[in-house]
Amino acid sequence: MAKPRAACLIGWPAAHSRSPLIHHYWLQTLGLPGGYNIEAIPPEGLAEFVLHLKAHGFVGANVTIPHKERALALTTPDERARAVGAANTLWYEGDELRSTNTDIEGFIHNLDACAPGWDGATGDALVLGAGGAARAVVFGLIERGIKRVYLANRTVERARALADQFGVQVHPVSWDAIGEWLPRVDFLVNTTSLGMHGQPALEIDVGRLPPHSVVADLVYVPLQTPLLAAARARGLRIADGLGMLLHQAVRGFELWFGQRPQVTPELRALIEADLTKL
Ligand code: NAP
């Protein structure tokens, strides 16, 4: 009998990731044989492990800190992984090990679920941050037709580099002038780590945003960040980081196990319960 297909999460240290919970839930609810392991691989062992992933027993993998940039170089990346500069999902096409970055669709599909029709007006967005997560968000917003992305980052050179990469639709703005841009945008997205448990708060007056605007925060610990709480209290539509985390896992599962899984309220409740154990 053939061995069930298995995927894994490659990280170092292999932090307490929610990916096994998510993929085991889908394997179980879809009634599929298969496995999802955590593989703690130090930097010096990464190339051997990734280049021989199949021999190690895996049909694919998720990659997390600190390996995402090197995983890009060790595989054949698609346009998304190249744009973000990091790979988080690996799979085989024949004998070729391909890679992508599913944060883009995780962000966009979560917006579709939380704020249906959000791109109907295809207005302007203010994105805070200029790291890997910001590149995924900017790629997704532009792909879906957002006209202009204003980008504010504490370190302005990083915002300029991101604007250079994405072209004329991305405009770097001063971190100190965020308040002035709020009334002019339809979307506000926090991709910085501000607001995360143990980090300083993100000081923003959401009262300055137009009443139809949508607010997204990539931080998911805590589940409801002060930014999202303030936006919700004001009656704005919101999209949270946990939703993005769940939606970004869908494509890997489909590539490895052949069925597209659903992000259900039951799955969300399962991961929420795990996060509140922290
Ligand atoms: P990163 O590359 O390290 O970028 C961090 C960003 O936060 C940079 O723009 C940095 O600004 C900014 N920042 C950090 N401390 C700051 C402070 N005190 N004041 C102002 N700005 C500050 O990290 P990343 O990979 O982009 O991830 C960013 C966040 O997104 C993290 O919280 C991560 O957990 C979250 N994330 C969530 C998901 C999800 O599925 N929900 C997916 C990916 C990432 P500088 O450039 O000035 O340092």
PDB file of all heavy atoms in Angstrom, residues 25 110 114 223 240-244 246 263-273:
ATOM      1  N   TYR A  25      -6.654  19.593  10.783  1.00  0.00           N
ATOM      2  CA  TYR A  25      -8.120  19.812  10.779  1.00  0.00           C
ATOM      3  C   TYR A  25      -8.682  19.520   9.389  1.00  0.00           C
ATOM      4  O   TYR A  25      -9.686  18.822   9.238  1.00  0.00           O
ATOM      5  CB  TYR A  25      -8.431  21.252  11.213  1.00  0.00           C
ATOM      6  CG  TYR A  25      -9.861  21.660  10.971  1.00  0.00           C
ATOM      7  CD1 TYR A  25     -10.861  21.380  11.912  1.00  0.00           C
ATOM      8  CD2 TYR A  25     -10.230  22.312   9.785  1.00  0.00           C
ATOM      9  CE1 TYR A  25     -12.184  21.746  11.670  1.00  0.00           C
ATOM     10  CE2 TYR A  25     -11.550  22.685   9.550  1.00  0.00           C
ATOM     11  CZ  TYR A  25     -12.519  22.391  10.496  1.00  0.00           C
ATOM     12  OH  TYR A  25     -13.823  22.753  10.247  1.00  0.00           O
ATOM     13  N   ASN A 110      -8.963  36.935   2.531  1.00  0.00           N
ATOM     14  CA  ASN A 110      -9.545  37.309   3.821  1.00  0.00           C
ATOM     15  C   ASN A 110     -10.360  38.598   3.689  1.00  0.00           C
ATOM     16  O   ASN A 110     -11.443  38.715   4.252  1.00  0.00           O
ATOM     17  CB  ASN A 110      -8.431  37.470   4.860  1.00  0.00           C
ATOM     18  CG  ASN A 110      -8.979  37.714   6.245  1.00  0.00           C
ATOM     19  OD1 ASN A 110      -9.932  37.051   6.666  1.00  0.00           O
ATOM     20  ND2 ASN A 110      -8.406  38.659   6.960  1.00  0.00           N
ATOM     21  N   CYS A 114     -14.232  39.049   4.594  1.00  0.00           N
ATOM     22  CA  CYS A 114     -14.646  39.954   5.679  1.00  0.00           C
ATOM     23  C   CYS A 114     -15.342  41.203   5.180  1.00  0.00           C
ATOM     24  O   CYS A 114     -16.139  41.798   5.900  1.00  0.00           O
ATOM     25  CB  CYS A 114     -13.427  40.402   6.491  1.00  0.00           C
ATOM     26  SG  CYS A 114     -12.595  39.072   7.319  1.00  0.00           S
ATOM     27  N   LEU A 223      -5.709  38.728  19.117  1.00  0.00           N
ATOM     28  CA  LEU A 223      -6.640  38.526  18.011  1.00  0.00           C
ATOM     29  C   LEU A 223      -7.285  39.834  17.574  1.00  0.00           C
ATOM     30  O   LEU A 223      -7.370  40.124  16.392  1.00  0.00           O
ATOM     31  CB  LEU A 223      -7.762  37.591  18.465  1.00  0.00           C
ATOM     32  CG  LEU A 223      -7.505  36.110  18.310  1.00  0.00           C
ATOM     33  CD1 LEU A 223      -8.596  35.326  18.982  1.00  0.00           C
ATOM     34  CD2 LEU A 223      -7.403  35.759  16.832  1.00  0.00           C
ATOM     35  N   ASP A 240      -8.985  40.771   9.968  1.00  0.00           N
ATOM     36  CA  ASP A 240      -7.926  40.563  10.969  1.00  0.00           C
ATOM     37  C   ASP A 240      -6.827  39.602  10.487  1.00  0.00           C
ATOM     38  O   ASP A 240      -6.940  38.940   9.447  1.00  0.00           O
ATOM     39  CB  ASP A 240      -8.511  40.145  12.328  1.00  0.00           C
ATOM     40  CG  ASP A 240      -9.085  38.737  12.337  1.00  0.00           C
ATOM     41  OD1 ASP A 240      -8.862  37.984  11.372  1.00  0.00           O
ATOM     42  OD2 ASP A 240      -9.751  38.397  13.330  1.00  0.00           O
ATOM     43  N   GLY A 241      -5.749  39.562  11.269  1.00  0.00           N
ATOM     44  CA  GLY A 241      -4.566  38.790  10.892  1.00  0.00           C
ATOM     45  C   GLY A 241      -4.799  37.292  10.934  1.00  0.00           C
ATOM     46  O   GLY A 241      -4.203  36.546  10.147  1.00  0.00           O
ATOM     47  N   LEU A 242      -5.666  36.830  11.843  1.00  0.00           N
ATOM     48  CA  LEU A 242      -5.915  35.392  11.903  1.00  0.00           C
ATOM     49  C   LEU A 242      -6.608  34.919  10.626  1.00  0.00           C
ATOM     50  O   LEU A 242      -6.278  33.854  10.085  1.00  0.00           O
ATOM     51  CB  LEU A 242      -6.760  35.039  13.145  1.00  0.00           C
ATOM     52  CG  LEU A 242      -7.153  33.567  13.249  1.00  0.00           C
ATOM     53  CD1 LEU A 242      -5.917  32.660  13.240  1.00  0.00           C
ATOM     54  CD2 LEU A 242      -7.992  33.313  14.500  1.00  0.00           C
ATOM     55  N   GLY A 243      -7.549  35.714  10.131  1.00  0.00           N
ATOM     56  CA  GLY A 243      -8.214  35.355   8.878  1.00  0.00           C
ATOM     57  C   GLY A 243      -7.204  35.201   7.751  1.00  0.00           C
ATOM     58  O   GLY A 243      -7.257  34.267   6.956  1.00  0.00           O
ATOM     59  N   MET A 244      -6.233  36.131   7.698  1.00  0.00           N
ATOM     60  CA  MET A 244      -5.193  36.047   6.658  1.00  0.00           C
ATOM     61  C   MET A 244      -4.362  34.772   6.828  1.00  0.00           C
ATOM     62  O   MET A 244      -4.064  34.077   5.853  1.00  0.00           O
ATOM     63  CB  MET A 244      -4.301  37.281   6.739  1.00  0.00           C
ATOM     64  CG  MET A 244      -3.091  37.220   5.833  1.00  0.00           C
ATOM     65  SD  MET A 244      -2.223  38.798   5.810  1.00  0.00           S
ATOM     66  CE  MET A 244      -0.688  38.311   5.005  1.00  0.00           C
ATOM     67  N   LEU A 246      -5.226  31.939   8.093  1.00  0.00           N
ATOM     68  CA  LEU A 246      -5.992  30.754   7.685  1.00  0.00           C
ATOM     69  C   LEU A 246      -6.102  30.691   6.161  1.00  0.00           C
ATOM     70  O   LEU A 246      -5.879  29.630   5.565  1.00  0.00           O
ATOM     71  CB  LEU A 246      -7.395  30.786   8.315  1.00  0.00           C
ATOM     72  CG  LEU A 246      -7.423  30.764   9.847  1.00  0.00           C
ATOM     73  CD1 LEU A 246      -8.849  30.899  10.359  1.00  0.00           C
ATOM     74  CD2 LEU A 246      -6.791  29.488  10.390  1.00  0.00           C
ATOM     75  N   VAL A 263     -12.016  27.667   4.693  1.00  0.00           N
ATOM     76  CA  VAL A 263     -11.775  28.322   5.985  1.00  0.00           C
ATOM     77  C   VAL A 263     -13.146  28.453   6.649  1.00  0.00           C
ATOM     78  O   VAL A 263     -13.975  29.260   6.223  1.00  0.00           O
ATOM     79  CB  VAL A 263     -11.126  29.706   5.789  1.00  0.00           C
ATOM     80  CG1 VAL A 263     -11.021  30.453   7.100  1.00  0.00           C
ATOM     81  CG2 VAL A 263      -9.741  29.540   5.150  1.00  0.00           C
ATOM     82  N   THR A 264     -13.402  27.612   7.630  1.00  0.00           N
ATOM     83  CA  THR A 264     -14.733  27.565   8.251  1.00  0.00           C
ATOM     84  C   THR A 264     -14.714  28.250   9.624  1.00  0.00           C
ATOM     85  O   THR A 264     -13.650  28.378  10.250  1.00  0.00           O
ATOM     86  CB  THR A 264     -15.159  26.105   8.468  1.00  0.00           C
ATOM     87  OG1 THR A 264     -14.173  25.490   9.333  1.00  0.00           O
ATOM     88  CG2 THR A 264     -15.233  25.333   7.162  1.00  0.00           C
ATOM     89  N   PRO A 265     -15.883  28.662  10.123  1.00  0.00           N
ATOM     90  CA  PRO A 265     -15.943  29.208  11.485  1.00  0.00           C
ATOM     91  C   PRO A 265     -15.398  28.209  12.517  1.00  0.00           C
ATOM     92  O   PRO A 265     -14.774  28.592  13.506  1.00  0.00           O
ATOM     93  CB  PRO A 265     -17.442  29.470  11.700  1.00  0.00           C
ATOM     94  CG  PRO A 265     -18.001  29.626  10.317  1.00  0.00           C
ATOM     95  CD  PRO A 265     -17.187  28.727   9.431  1.00  0.00           C
ATOM     96  N   GLU A 266     -15.610  26.907  12.255  1.00  0.00           N
ATOM     97  CA  GLU A 266     -15.126  25.883  13.198  1.00  0.00           C
ATOM     98  C   GLU A 266     -13.593  25.875  13.251  1.00  0.00           C
ATOM     99  O   GLU A 266     -12.992  25.806  14.329  1.00  0.00           O
ATOM    100  CB  GLU A 266     -15.650  24.511  12.751  1.00  0.00           C
ATOM    101  CG  GLU A 266     -15.361  23.423  13.759  1.00  0.00           C
ATOM    102  CD  GLU A 266     -15.763  22.044  13.252  1.00  0.00           C
ATOM    103  OE1 GLU A 266     -15.609  21.761  12.032  1.00  0.00           O
ATOM    104  OE2 GLU A 266     -16.221  21.246  14.067  1.00  0.00           O
ATOM    105  N   LEU A 267     -12.951  25.991  12.078  1.00  0.00           N
ATOM    106  CA  LEU A 267     -11.482  26.039  12.045  1.00  0.00           C
ATOM    107  C   LEU A 267     -10.995  27.291  12.771  1.00  0.00           C
ATOM    108  O   LEU A 267     -10.067  27.247  13.573  1.00  0.00           O
ATOM    109  CB  LEU A 267     -10.985  26.041  10.592  1.00  0.00           C
ATOM    110  CG  LEU A 267      -9.483  26.306  10.409  1.00  0.00           C
ATOM    111  CD1 LEU A 267      -8.634  25.223  11.087  1.00  0.00           C
ATOM    112  CD2 LEU A 267      -9.113  26.406   8.926  1.00  0.00           C
ATOM    113  N   ARG A 268     -11.644  28.399  12.491  1.00  0.00           N
ATOM    114  CA  ARG A 268     -11.240  29.651  13.139  1.00  0.00           C
ATOM    115  C   ARG A 268     -11.347  29.530  14.664  1.00  0.00           C
ATOM    116  O   ARG A 268     -10.442  29.935  15.396  1.00  0.00           O
ATOM    117  CB  ARG A 268     -12.122  30.798  12.620  1.00  0.00           C
ATOM    118  CG  ARG A 268     -11.553  32.124  13.027  1.00  0.00           C
ATOM    119  CD  ARG A 268     -12.363  33.305  12.603  1.00  0.00           C
ATOM    120  NE  ARG A 268     -12.032  34.354  13.527  1.00  0.00           N
ATOM    121  CZ  ARG A 268     -11.145  35.328  13.304  1.00  0.00           C
ATOM    122  NH1 ARG A 268     -10.577  35.447  12.144  1.00  0.00           N
ATOM    123  NH2 ARG A 268     -10.841  36.195  14.228  1.00  0.00           N
ATOM    124  N   ALA A 269     -12.441  28.933  15.131  1.00  0.00           N
ATOM    125  CA  ALA A 269     -12.643  28.791  16.588  1.00  0.00           C
ATOM    126  C   ALA A 269     -11.542  27.907  17.192  1.00  0.00           C
ATOM    127  O   ALA A 269     -11.055  28.162  18.304  1.00  0.00           O
ATOM    128  CB  ALA A 269     -14.024  28.207  16.860  1.00  0.00           C
ATOM    129  N   LEU A 270     -11.137  26.878  16.435  1.00  0.00           N
ATOM    130  CA  LEU A 270     -10.083  25.969  16.913  1.00  0.00           C
ATOM    131  C   LEU A 270      -8.763  26.726  17.106  1.00  0.00           C
ATOM    132  O   LEU A 270      -8.084  26.580  18.129  1.00  0.00           O
ATOM    133  CB  LEU A 270      -9.906  24.863  15.868  1.00  0.00           C
ATOM    134  CG  LEU A 270      -8.923  23.756  16.135  1.00  0.00           C
ATOM    135  CD1 LEU A 270      -9.517  22.760  17.106  1.00  0.00           C
ATOM    136  CD2 LEU A 270      -8.568  23.031  14.820  1.00  0.00           C
ATOM    137  N   ILE A 271      -8.407  27.552  16.142  1.00  0.00           N
ATOM    138  CA  ILE A 271      -7.137  28.280  16.216  1.00  0.00           C
ATOM    139  C   ILE A 271      -7.239  29.416  17.247  1.00  0.00           C
ATOM    140  O   ILE A 271      -6.293  29.679  17.989  1.00  0.00           O
ATOM    141  CB  ILE A 271      -6.720  28.840  14.826  1.00  0.00           C
ATOM    142  CG1 ILE A 271      -6.735  27.720  13.780  1.00  0.00           C
ATOM    143  CG2 ILE A 271      -5.329  29.474  14.896  1.00  0.00           C
ATOM    144  CD1 ILE A 271      -5.845  26.528  14.069  1.00  0.00           C
ATOM    145  N   GLU A 272      -8.397  30.048  17.307  1.00  0.00           N
ATOM    146  CA  GLU A 272      -8.595  31.094  18.330  1.00  0.00           C
ATOM    147  C   GLU A 272      -8.376  30.511  19.721  1.00  0.00           C
ATOM    148  O   GLU A 272      -7.725  31.114  20.568  1.00  0.00           O
ATOM    149  CB  GLU A 272     -10.022  31.653  18.254  1.00  0.00           C
ATOM    150  CG  GLU A 272     -10.169  32.766  17.263  1.00  0.00           C
ATOM    151  CD  GLU A 272     -11.524  33.462  17.384  1.00  0.00           C
ATOM    152  OE1 GLU A 272     -12.193  33.353  18.421  1.00  0.00           O
ATOM    153  OE2 GLU A 272     -11.901  34.122  16.402  1.00  0.00           O
ATOM    154  N   ALA A 273      -8.920  29.325  19.951  1.00  0.00           N
ATOM    155  CA  ALA A 273      -8.781  28.695  21.278  1.00  0.00           C
ATOM    156  C   ALA A 273      -7.307  28.424  21.560  1.00  0.00           C
ATOM    157  O   ALA A 273      -6.831  28.609  22.683  1.00  0.00           O
ATOM    158  CB  ALA A 273      -9.594  27.399  21.321  1.00  0.00           C
TER     159      ALA A 273
END
